[in-house]
Amino acid sequence: MFYGFEFKPFKAAINDGLHAIMSAHINFTNLTEDGLPVTSSKRALTGLLREEMGFEGLIIIDDIEMKAIHDNYATIEATLKTVNAGANLVCICHDLHYQIGASDCFNKALETGELAMDTLNERVARILKYKEKLNVELNTHLL
């Protein structure tokens, strides 16, 4: 297994049915490739979380406008990179310019093939699956 003892609490939570996890904007050099932060790393999000640890829930990216990303990567392009790496949801919390820019970037990436429609469909399908699951759980508790 790729992950060490640091990941045991995460693996336990995954085994207990964790629905969502938020990635940090850290550069964990033993986990990522090319000096990328974990949030932009396919090796971390897809390789470690999905494939090695068996996480089926939602991968959420903390505010992409945070200084660690904003100062070192283009915020809008970083949003696309996180989704291609495996993220389902990306928080763009403060600036409408970045929100609109990310939407435009996704549309352009779909046109150029930088983002595959199958990838986007998988990310959205997972969100809808958990939306339905949450609705069922809430309704069950209300009965």
Side-chain angles (χ1 to χ4, degrees):
M1 290 193 166
F2 178 75
Y3 54 93
F5 74 94
E6 302 91 345
F7 294 97
K8 286 187 179 188
F10 296 99
K11 182 62 177 162
I14 290 167
N15 290 343
D16 286 342
L18 182 70
H19 294 311
I21 193 165
M22 182 176 279
S23 174
H25 300 306
I26 60 171
N27 182 1
F28 192 166
T29 56
N30 290 335
L31 181 60
T32 61
E33 65 277 359
D34 301 326
L36 291 172
V38 171
T39 51
S40 299
S41 170
K42 188 169 188 169
R43 184 174 175 206
L45 300 184
T46 298
L48 175 65
L49 276 176
R50 294 273 187 237
E51 295 168 2
E52 290 191 40
M53 297 180 83
F55 182 59
E56 295 293 327
L58 300 175
I59 298 175
I60 303 169
I61 302 302
D62 202 358
D63 187 5
I64 203 76
E65 295 175 81
M66 291 175 119
K67 191 169 179 58
I69 298 298
H70 183 76
D71 287 357
N72 296 296
Y73 306 93
T75 300
I76 293 169
E77 290 77 10
T79 303
L80 176 62
K81 192 160 192 66
T82 64
V83 171
N84 271 325
N88 299 100
L89 297 165
V90 182
C91 297
I92 306 175
C93 300
H94 304 288
D95 194 323
L96 181 61
H97 164 76
Y98 291 130
Q99 295 165 2
I100 293 170
S103 177
D104 292 343
C105 180
F106 276 64
N107 286 326
K108 181 184 261 185
L110 286 167
E111 290 173 9
T112 65
E114 188 177 359
L115 174 62
M117 184 58 78
D118 287 346
T119 299
L120 185 60
N121 286 340
E122 185 281 326
R123 304 301 188 262
V124 172
R126 196 177 297 265
I127 293 167
L128 294 174
K129 172 186 168 187
Y130 277 90
K131 177 186 178 284
E132 181 67 25
K133 184 176 180 77
L134 180 61
N135 188 39
V136 169
E137 289 176 3
L138 286 174
N139 287 334
T140 302
H141 291 332
L142 293 175
L143 296 177

